Amino acid sequence: MDENIVELNIVIGGISKELLDVQKALDAYREKQKRKEKVDDEALIFIEKAELVIQKAERGELTLTDDQIRRIKSNLVKILKRLAS
């Protein structure tokens, strides 16, 4: 029983770290954007992290809710559109 709890904590910790990395990258992008600074580097970091998390979720390596995936994809699309314009 204790082993299951430890394994679950490890999985939750991994998911939390992945999502925290994506959120930090998004926050850095938004902060630079708000200050009207060049955002290309932050955008690319977010794109890389977001794509990695989405790929892991789609392969079943990372368990995310549909809403979490939708929100990450939505932010990803917005940033890609801004970079394209």
Side-chain angles (χ1 to χ4, degrees), residues 21-35:
D21 286 348
V22 170
Q23 187 62 50
K24 282 182 180 179
L26 181 59
D27 290 345
Y29 169 81
R30 286 180 174 163
E31 185 62 32
K32 287 242 178 172
Q33 186 181 39
K34 185 169 47 174
R35 290 185 278 163

Side-chain angles (χ1 to χ4, degrees), residues 6-57:
V6 170
E7 288 178 24
L8 184 58
N9 282 337
I10 292 170
V11 170
I12 290 170
I15 293 170
S16 296
K17 184 190 178 319
E18 297 277 353
L19 291 176
L20 187 58
D21 286 348
V22 170
Q23 187 62 50
K24 282 182 180 179
L26 181 59
D27 290 345
Y29 169 81
R30 286 180 174 163
E31 185 62 32
K32 287 242 178 172
Q33 186 181 39
K34 185 169 47 174
R35 290 185 278 163
K36 305 289 188 212
E37 295 178 15
K38 186 176 175 185
V39 295
D40 293 348
D41 292 340
E42 284 73 18
L44 293 176
I45 291 169
F46 172 77
I47 291 167
E48 289 173 6
K49 290 181 183 287
E51 286 179 339
L52 180 62
V53 166
I54 291 169
Q55 289 170 0
K56 285 183 176 183

Side-chain angles (χ1 to χ4, degrees), residues 51-83:
E51 286 179 339
L52 180 62
V53 166
I54 291 169
Q55 289 170 0
K56 285 183 176 183
E58 289 174 346
R59 290 190 305 253
E61 297 172 10
L62 192 63
T63 305
L64 301 177
T65 66
D66 291 339
D67 186 54
Q68 288 170 318
I69 294 170
R70 181 194 57 74
R71 290 172 52 197
I72 293 170
K73 285 183 177 181
S74 173
N75 285 317
L76 183 59
V77 167
K78 288 176 189 175
I79 290 172
L80 286 171
K81 283 181 181 178
R82 286 185 189 133
L83 288 177

